[in-house]
Amino acid sequence: MKNKKINITSLICILSIVPLMAKTSASSPTLEWIFHNLLFILFAVLMIGVLVTLYNVLMNYLNLEKKKYLIEAGKIVEEDTQIQNGSALSKLLEKAWGFVPKEEEESLVLDHDYDGIVELDNKMPPWWLALFYGTIVFAVVYLYIYEWSGNWSSTQQWEEEVAAGNEAKSDYLAKMASLVNEENVTLLTDPDDIAMGKKTFQSLCIACHGSAGEGNSIGPNLTDEYWLHGGGIRNVFKTITHGVPEKGMIAWNNQLEPAMIQKVASYILSLQGSNPPNAKDKQGQLWTEDENIN
Amino acid sequence: MPKLDTFSYDDKIVRQFAIATLVWGAIAMTVGLYAALELIWPNLNFNRYITFGRIRPLHTNAAIFAFVGNGIFMGVYYSLQRLVKARMWSPFLSKLNFWGWQAIILAAAITLPLGLTSSHEYAELEWPIDIAIAVVWVAFGVNMFGTILKRRENHLYVAIWFYIATWVTVTVLHIFNNIQIPISLYKSIPVFAGVQDALIQWWYGHNAVAFFLTTPYLGLMYYFLPKAANRPVYSYKLSIIHFWGLIFIYIWAGPHHLLYTSLPDWAQSLGTAFSIMLIAPSWGGMLNGLLTLRGAWDRVRTDPILKFMVVAISAYGMATLEGPLLSIKSINAISHYTDWTIAHVHVGTLGWNGMLTFGILYWLIPKLYQTKLHSKSLANVHFWLSTLGTMFYTIPLYWAGWTQSMMWKSFDPSGFLTYGNFLETVTQILPMYRLRALGGLIYLIGVFIMVYNLWITARNGKASDTVVTVPSRVKHKRQKGEYWHKWIERKPIQLLIGATVVVLIGGLVEIFPMLLIDNNVPKIASVKPYTPLELEGRDIYIREGCNTCHSQMVRPLRSETERYAGGFSKSGEFIYDRPFLWGSKRTGPDLHRLGKKYSHSWHYNHMLDPTSTSPGSIMPSYEWLHTTDLNTDYTSAKIKVLKMLNTPYGKNYENHAVEDLQKQAREITEVLRQDGIEQENLENKEIIAVIAYLQRLGTDANPELNN
């Protein structure tokens, strides 16, 4: 009876704390973090607790078995076992498991056997029952939070995550002053920049443009003076950034930051007139820098 | 004094199922090893019948239905007869069960490599085989109930409760997940589409794990463990509570396979909540098993049978704690689509199902052949190989799953994906795939050692039925102060009805609102049915098992909407998807936003040789798509059936569907030609249909792409 009362009280406590935390979470980032990871934390604690208990019990058992052997073999006397067995922890464990001493097991045998299998009338381990009740409480609270307390839909979570990501991104870009765009982009000539552009080109672009930019059945030759979407650093930068989806050119702005696209574009332009072997025939318009400045 | 009956148990059928378990087990795991090697050496995909996309379903089906399935029948036929003290009711039904089941497995082994698949995971087999499964399964059930009804015991032991729940639930699941309209002998179209199809499939898929890999094996554990340990079952009350708790709660948990998908949030939440509540009932089985060994632990150290059983039960405990944890959304967001899931299920199958089956076989075969086990030390070697193999299999995959997921989600400070190229995250974990294959090999070697050991054992023994003399049944009188549950243990029919009601509740509550309430799937005006060519391309996608490695479900997570630009997937986009093709594992990238991302020629070259466009790719070449003519014989039949299912094609559209198909094919071929791809008769090849389908994927929700 007493146990039941305690169970119910703690149940109510847990039930009231969690929504409370959800409400306050908006104000404090620490609380918010705890709440967002509540499930994780709860289960980490639970799992560790359960594993430790299991381990203890198994070890206890192996010890008892060992002692039984030693006693049978006459190597130690019975009292030794009793003394070691009386610790507070082992008492607590006995209680958590609800074990009946092995000598009294006979009294628990149910008067039936199935093909020689008999069943004992042991009570369900109290910790197991507590776990069962606990998970039911958890499930109710979980459903309440996710379904009725609002603010927890998948879409909403996504919107918040994206907003936070975008904010961090623009903060960073502003800070790094790496805000290169198609209006202000310039051609780089520093060999280090060109080398970095080449590295990226070699890993991402050669499938469609060939390892020397000579073009293949998919993409055009990048080493001649003819351009499908305009030559010059600004146009090349723009083409790489936004792609030309209808022609199969991917927009790279989700995979490369502007400063890197600038390097790749500069590397590509450094290939002008390199005349690689197997170059693809010219496509598009002849590009001359001066005529097209606008 | 009741009169004594002398009769014999039908042990021949048990021997047959035992042999089938051994043979199919070895085959299923060999196929699994081959599939694992294909991921390391893509060249092993050297012809169309053995690509990973077709072999992987063969492996899972063989492991679940051939190995574990025969294991279930073996254990049930042995234990049921002894627990109710009666010979199997109908020798005819026993034979039908055995030979029918083997024929079904054989049919699966032939049709899956041929690419005949419905694409529903663990329910891939086409409709004629589905019907055969239903017939054989019902034969098994009738035979089981016939035997139970003429029992000489009054009460049904806990193992039998599990057998009954298994039988009824698998029946319901199998039928509901295979409601299809046949197009031909080899092809059918599911009645439900998109989200609804997905929910029913995972209600099935999850409970195939529950009621095919778990409940029957718990039943077997309740018989064979106390027998092998010669100890009483720890707690009768625990048996009752965890049995009813398990079968009631398990059925609700299916949606946890669809967390963060387009499934409505309420269904996802139910899936999570019930998964958490599942921990205790699952662990009830583990505790009752392990505590039954109380007082027999000294023998666990020396007896290989008990060793197998203890590790099996521990693996069960680990897998059933991990499962609920993986159902928590924040953890699922990490684990889903990665090898973490593969590791998780192999703890269950290699550990729980495999090891328990091995333990039972080592105990049972000597009994069935009235002899002693040929070699205990070989059994011990097998035990260590199994344990090591399981660890070598699972640990690298946990590592791989975690690593890959972290790479998928990693952003650099400038807000870009650190690993924007999906392929980088694949090549990173290839070493782990090698270790996994090694683990599989170790495990498999153990299995072959067992097969040898048990074969010699059987050869040294003598096969004959066990004859027993037992008292006939005396009608039980209700005793005073008897536990309430004793009543239902005397009433198999009431137990069957009770179990049916209990398992149906969860399914009904989740599935019916999805089918009946329209606003669970908000319509999107721009979403239109597939064109005939795209439809044929989609069926090739299904035939080749593309969905084994590619998902079509962009989750509402920033890392995904960033990688797969075009917004996360909405339920309204899938209303014409029969079947749904969301997939469950990303060995390659998600494809739902693939449409219009690359040119036709990119796809043409990629399917011919994936490494030409994606150096280092482990995807096999699908060169036969470029040389095989597209079969349009069933196109109009497909359109007709889809129209019947309310897909808005115009009146009599089936009559000019093929015409439209050819027109679209010519358009695509023309674009390819402009890109310099010349091939004779190109417009009639399968690759054109595949390109049409891939270019359509996910574009309807982003109409600006179609301009």
Side-chain angles (χ1 to χ4, degrees), chain B residues 441-551:
Chain B
L441 177 67
I442 295 172
Y443 195 91
L444 185 61
I445 291 173
V447 169
F448 281 117
I449 290 176
M450 171 183 72
V451 171
Y452 167 78
N453 197 358
L454 292 179
W455 178 55
I456 301 287
T457 306
R459 219 184 47 183
N460 292 341
K462 181 169 106 325
S464 67
D465 287 1
T466 317
V467 179
V468 286
T469 304
V470 294
S472 60
R473 185 165 151 208
V474 185
K475 193 100 178 88
H476 178 86
K477 280 198 213 78
R478 201 177 176 286
Q479 285 162 355
K480 231 180 148 183
E482 162 183 285
Y483 202 62
W484 61 271
H485 197 263
K486 281 275 172 212
W487 171 79
I488 204 161
E489 291 165 31
R490 285 192 292 275
K491 310 272 183 199
I493 302 299
Q494 281 87 333
L495 185 63
L496 173 72
I497 294 168
T500 311
V501 170
V502 163
V503 298
L504 281 180
I505 296 170
L508 293 178
V509 171
E510 285 173 352
I511 293 171
F512 271 72
M514 278 303 299
L515 300 183
L516 300 177
I517 302 172
D518 274 347
N519 64 11
N520 271 314
V521 186
K523 296 270 181 302
I524 300 173
S526 56
V527 173
K528 299 277 182 293
Y530 293 105
T531 67
L533 185 64
E534 289 158 3
L535 215 52
E536 292 297 351
R538 195 170 194 272
D539 283 341
I540 294 169
Y541 185 98
I542 292 170
R543 182 189 76 195
E544 299 301 338
C546 303
N547 51 303
T548 346
C549 292
H550 294 281
S551 59

Side-chain angles (χ1 to χ4, degrees), chain B residues 144-295:
Chain B
M144 175 165 76
F145 267 87
T147 312
I148 290 174
L149 290 177
K150 55 165 210 157
R151 69 193 182 279
R152 293 183 177 81
E153 285 277 355
N154 276 307
H155 294 96
L156 301 179
Y157 177 60
V158 48
I160 299 171
W161 317 343
F162 276 107
Y163 300 158
I164 290 175
T166 298
W167 182 77
V168 66
T169 316
V170 170
T171 309
V172 172
L173 292 168
H174 176 69
I175 291 170
F176 265 88
N177 194 37
N178 288 299
I179 304 181
Q180 297 148 344
I181 301 177
I183 300 285
S184 72
L185 195 58
Y186 309 114
K187 174 81 193 157
S188 57
I189 290 182
V191 166
F192 301 111
V195 186
Q196 296 159 347
D197 191 36
L199 179 64
I200 292 174
Q201 153 59 21
W202 283 111
W203 165 76
Y204 164 89
H206 172 71
N207 290 300
V209 175
F211 289 88
F212 210 85
L213 299 177
T214 307
T215 54
Y217 264 54
L218 282 170
L220 299 189
M221 179 196 83
Y222 272 110
Y223 180 81
F224 289 98
L225 179 72
K227 279 297 216 184
N230 199 18
R231 288 281 308 154
V233 173
Y234 180 73
S235 169
Y236 168 65
K237 277 195 195 110
L238 185 57
S239 302
I240 296 170
I241 301 297
H242 103 87
F243 167 74
W244 290 103
L246 194 76
I247 67 169
F248 172 69
I249 295 175
Y250 231 127
I251 207 90
W252 291 75
H256 72 207
H257 291 257
L258 298 169
L259 295 180
Y260 284 117
T261 65
S262 307
L263 184 74
D265 279 343
W266 64 263
Q268 297 187 29
S269 298
L270 278 178
T272 303
F274 277 84
S275 302
I276 298 296
M277 287 191 277
L278 200 50
I279 297 175
S282 301
W283 271 29
M286 172 186 71
L287 292 176
N288 230 357
L290 290 180
L291 292 174
T292 293
L293 291 169
R294 207 177 166 218

Side-chain angles (χ1 to χ4, degrees), chain B residues 398-685:
Chain B
Y398 280 119
W399 193 321
W402 178 267
T403 306
Q404 195 177 30
S405 188
M406 288 302 118
M407 290 175 86
W408 288 348
K409 289 172 192 302
S410 166
F411 282 92
D412 67 17
S414 51
F416 294 98
L417 290 165
T418 319
Y419 307 97
N421 185 358
F422 188 92
L423 196 51
E424 284 179 89
T425 73
V426 178
T427 45
Q428 177 74 25
I429 59 172
L430 286 182
M432 294 300 145
Y433 282 1
R434 291 194 192 102
L435 279 177
R436 176 264 290 271
L438 176 68
L441 177 67
I442 295 172
Y443 195 91
L444 185 61
I445 291 173
V447 169
F448 281 117
I449 290 176
M450 171 183 72
V451 171
Y452 167 78
N453 197 358
L454 292 179
W455 178 55
I456 301 287
T457 306
R459 219 184 47 183
N460 292 341
K462 181 169 106 325
S464 67
D465 287 1
T466 317
V467 179
V468 286
T469 304
V470 294
S472 60
R473 185 165 151 208
V474 185
K475 193 100 178 88
H476 178 86
K477 280 198 213 78
R478 201 177 176 286
Q479 285 162 355
K480 231 180 148 183
E482 162 183 285
Y483 202 62
W484 61 271
H485 197 263
K486 281 275 172 212
W487 171 79
I488 204 161
E489 291 165 31
R490 285 192 292 275
K491 310 272 183 199
I493 302 299
Q494 281 87 333
L495 185 63
L496 173 72
I497 294 168
T500 311
V501 170
V502 163
V503 298
L504 281 180
I505 296 170
L508 293 178
V509 171
E510 285 173 352
I511 293 171
F512 271 72
M514 278 303 299
L515 300 183
L516 300 177
I517 302 172
D518 274 347
N519 64 11
N520 271 314
V521 186
K523 296 270 181 302
I524 300 173
S526 56
V527 173
K528 299 277 182 293
Y530 293 105
T531 67
L533 185 64
E534 289 158 3
L535 215 52
E536 292 297 351
R538 195 170 194 272
D539 283 341
I540 294 169
Y541 185 98
I542 292 170
R543 182 189 76 195
E544 299 301 338
C546 303
N547 51 303
T548 346
C549 292
H550 294 281
S551 59
Q552 286 185 21
M553 174 50 62
V554 179
R555 295 177 291 177
L557 304 171
R558 178 178 165 231
S559 56
E560 304 218 338
T561 49
E562 198 69 26
R563 183 181 299 276
Y564 309 111
F568 59 84
S569 307
K570 322 278 186 308
S571 55
E573 295 182 67
F574 302 102
I575 54 172
Y576 303 121
D577 280 21
R578 285 193 165 86
F580 82 110
L581 291 172
W582 295 358
S584 62
K585 170 71 173 62
R586 285 180 187 155
T587 302
D590 188 276
L591 301 183
H592 194 218
R593 298 293 178 217
L594 181 68
K596 304 282 194 309
K597 190 176 169 189
Y598 302 101
S599 63
H600 293 345
S601 54
W602 187 93
H603 285 294
Y604 180 92
N605 289 318
H606 181 252
M607 300 300 282
L608 198 57
D609 176 10
T611 55
S612 70
T613 48
S614 317
S617 169
I618 58 170
M619 177 168 143
S621 157
Y622 286 89
E623 40 91 15
W624 52 89
L625 300 180
H626 300 68
T627 52
T628 313
D629 280 340
L630 181 68
N631 180 353
T632 54
D633 293 353
Y634 297 105
T635 310
S636 68
K638 286 177 189 173
I639 299 283
K640 240 192 235 165
V641 170
L642 289 174
K643 270 173 69 181
M644 213 164 90
L645 296 167
N646 292 328
T647 310
Y649 291 111
K651 202 170 162 231
N652 295 328
Y653 186 64
E654 62 270 21
N655 297 336
H656 27 95
V658 176
E659 224 171 277
D660 264 18
L661 178 149
Q662 287 161 344
K663 184 165 162 274
Q664 195 187 359
R666 280 194 300 273
E667 285 164 12
I668 292 174
T669 314
E670 187 45 42
V671 175
L672 285 172
R673 208 156 275 150
Q674 282 166 15
D675 281 352
I677 291 168
E678 301 280 355
Q679 188 190 321
E680 215 173 309
N681 267 331
L682 183 55
E683 66 273 16
N684 297 329
K685 302 299 174 198

